[in-house]
Amino acid sequence: MHFPIVIGLAALTLTIAPAQAGYEKIAVLEALDKITGHVFTLEAAIGSEVQFGRLRINPHRCFKAPPEHPPESVAFLEIKEIRPDQDILQLFTGWMFASSPGLSTLEHPIYDVIVLDCYSPIGSTGPPPVTIEPLPSTVSNE
């Protein structure tokens, strides 16, 4: 029985799927202030820092699926909270998925942040899309 190998390869395919998408320069985020009920759309350049209330949001990577695949945008974010007279508090570091905001989310009593989209400005040239070669098959017919 070689089911674990097949399942492992399927899981690897799902894990590397975002890396096959297009690398973008701008992360589009939606931020909610739960106290006021205001929703804001934030655009943050990769490698920059955007402030929303007491939050500092730093997008490190943003990938968007090509048009022939199901729509998906994925961003790797680092979110910190600046508190008066206290140390900076690291709230979130990880990938957020536009299609599944509840999968990996910022948990905060005042703020919500989700990923909406990724894009590059028209005419900009960025790094080429990341491609990953498939692994050779390890399944043998014994």
Side-chain angles (χ1 to χ4, degrees):
M1 289 253 194
H2 296 286
F3 292 115
I5 293 173
V6 174
I7 292 171
L9 291 175
L12 180 61
T13 303
L14 293 175
T15 303
I16 63 173
Q20 295 174 340
Y23 176 82
E24 304 293 343
K25 292 186 170 189
I26 306 288
V28 181
L29 310 170
E30 186 174 83
L32 166 67
D33 182 329
K34 295 176 187 177
I35 303 296
T36 64
H38 289 107
V39 177
F40 300 90
T41 301
L42 309 172
E43 293 190 1
I46 302 305
S48 70
E49 191 171 73
V50 174
Q51 185 152 353
F52 174 70
R54 296 188 325 221
L55 300 182
R56 287 196 183 164
I57 305 164
N58 185 342
H60 292 283
R61 296 277 185 267
C62 205
F63 296 97
K64 185 171 186 166
E68 63 272 11
H69 289 92
E72 180 65 279
S73 292
V74 183
F76 187 85
L77 303 176
E78 180 180 16
I79 302 175
K80 300 174 184 175
E81 182 178 13
I82 308 303
R83 301 177 298 167
D85 301 325
Q86 295 181 15
D87 291 335
I88 295 173
L89 179 63
Q90 184 77 32
L91 297 176
F92 180 87
T93 301
W95 292 97
M96 284 191 184
F97 299 82
S99 65
S100 303
L103 181 64
S104 177
T105 183
L106 169 71
E107 294 183 19
H108 192 275
I110 299 173
Y111 304 108
D112 277 344
V113 176
I114 62 170
V115 174
L116 294 178
D117 199 7
C118 301
Y119 76 93
S120 289
I122 295 176
S124 69
T125 57
V130 177
T131 57
I132 297 177
E133 296 297 322
L135 295 173
S137 176
T138 58
V139 178
S140 63
N141 295 328
E142 294 179 21

